[in-house]
Amino acid sequence: MSEKPLEKYLKELRKSYNYSQEYVASQLNITRQTYSHYETGRITPPVDSLYNLSRLYKVPLNSFLELSIHHPENEEHSINTSNRNKSECDDINEFLKHISIPENSKKFKFLKRQEKLVLYYYQLLDDRDQEDILSFMKVKCRNRKKNTQRNAATADMPVVE
């Protein structure tokens, strides 16, 4: 039986967090054997388990739902979705490989998932693109600060009627 994207994704997420199947199963209130079946594809996780997995790994629920739902009645949609999912899975697989390298796992250990992704993709860029990203982030922060100050100033203004 070949692994489908969902099973592979579940296994790689679990390993990237250094969780055991027993631990994940306990978080889902299921047996370890049932969770093992999720990772082998013998059982497709029900929506409540997918929801709990999304909370455990801080991954949008749609990520799991899209990987678990097939659209055989709409072949074109199915092909487009599978191509997109394959690309997303390839990206995620590369990311998970990267953070599982011992020297990288220490850097990523205490970061939130989104911070890990930002750092991972940032490191893939060349120096010029990294400078562009930093400049963009600085501009966004300055604008946010100005908007916050402006909103605070208008909140202090008396209401004229």
Side-chain angles (χ1 to χ4, degrees), residues 131-148:
E131 285 300 317
D132 289 345
I133 295 297
L134 287 174
S135 296
F136 173 76
M137 292 172 74
K138 288 175 186 176
V139 168
K140 288 295 283 183
C141 288
R142 280 189 217 117
N143 288 343
R144 170 83 33 103
K145 187 175 181 180
K146 286 178 189 174
N147 287 338
T148 303

Side-chain angles (χ1 to χ4, degrees), residues 22-32 34 38 48-49 52:
E22 187 71 43
Y23 175 77
V24 175
S26 72
Q27 297 301 302
L28 302 176
N29 294 318
I30 59 174
T31 65
R32 187 207 55 80
T34 299
Y38 293 174
D48 62 328
S49 288
N52 289 331

Side-chain angles (χ1 to χ4, degrees), residues 10-24 39 56-57 96 99-102 104-106 108-110 116:
L10 289 174
K11 189 174 190 174
E12 289 174 350
L13 272 174
R14 179 179 57 79
K15 287 184 175 190
S16 75
Y17 279 79
N18 295 319
Y19 292 158
S20 66
Q21 286 185 340
E22 187 71 43
Y23 175 77
V24 175
E39 285 189 4
L56 176 65
Y57 294 122
L96 292 173
I99 66 171
S100 66
I101 298 170
N104 292 336
S105 65
K106 289 178 183 175
F108 287 91
K109 187 173 185 175
F110 298 106
K116 290 177 185 179

Side-chain angles (χ1 to χ4, degrees), residues 55-150:
R55 293 185 68 202
L56 176 65
Y57 294 122
K58 297 170 183 65
V59 174
L61 179 59
N62 274 354
S63 298
F64 292 113
L65 292 174
E66 287 178 0
L67 292 172
S68 66
I69 297 173
H70 304 285
H71 304 280
E73 68 280 351
N74 185 347
E75 194 63 34
E76 185 178 320
H77 182 288
S78 190
I79 290 168
N80 291 340
T81 302
S82 68
N83 287 341
R84 190 179 77 234
N85 286 342
K86 182 178 181 341
S87 173
E88 289 171 5
C89 282
D90 289 344
D91 262 4
I92 289 170
N93 290 338
E94 289 302 313
F95 168 69
L96 292 173
K97 280 182 204 170
H98 180 74
I99 66 171
S100 66
I101 298 170
E103 60 268 17
N104 292 336
S105 65
K106 289 178 183 175
K107 285 192 280 187
F108 287 91
K109 187 173 185 175
F110 298 106
L111 298 177
K112 296 175 189 167
R113 182 178 184 275
Q114 197 163 16
E115 292 169 331
K116 290 177 185 179
L117 288 169
V118 167
L119 184 57
Y120 169 70
Y121 285 113
Y122 179 81
Q123 291 174 344
L124 294 178
L125 299 172
D126 62 25
D127 291 342
R128 186 168 180 216
D129 288 337
Q130 287 180 350
E131 285 300 317
D132 289 345
I133 295 297
L134 287 174
S135 296
F136 173 76
M137 292 172 74
K138 288 175 186 176
V139 168
K140 288 295 283 183
C141 288
R142 280 189 217 117
N143 288 343
R144 170 83 33 103
K145 187 175 181 180
K146 286 178 189 174
N147 287 338
T148 303
Q149 290 171 345
R150 193 175 323 136

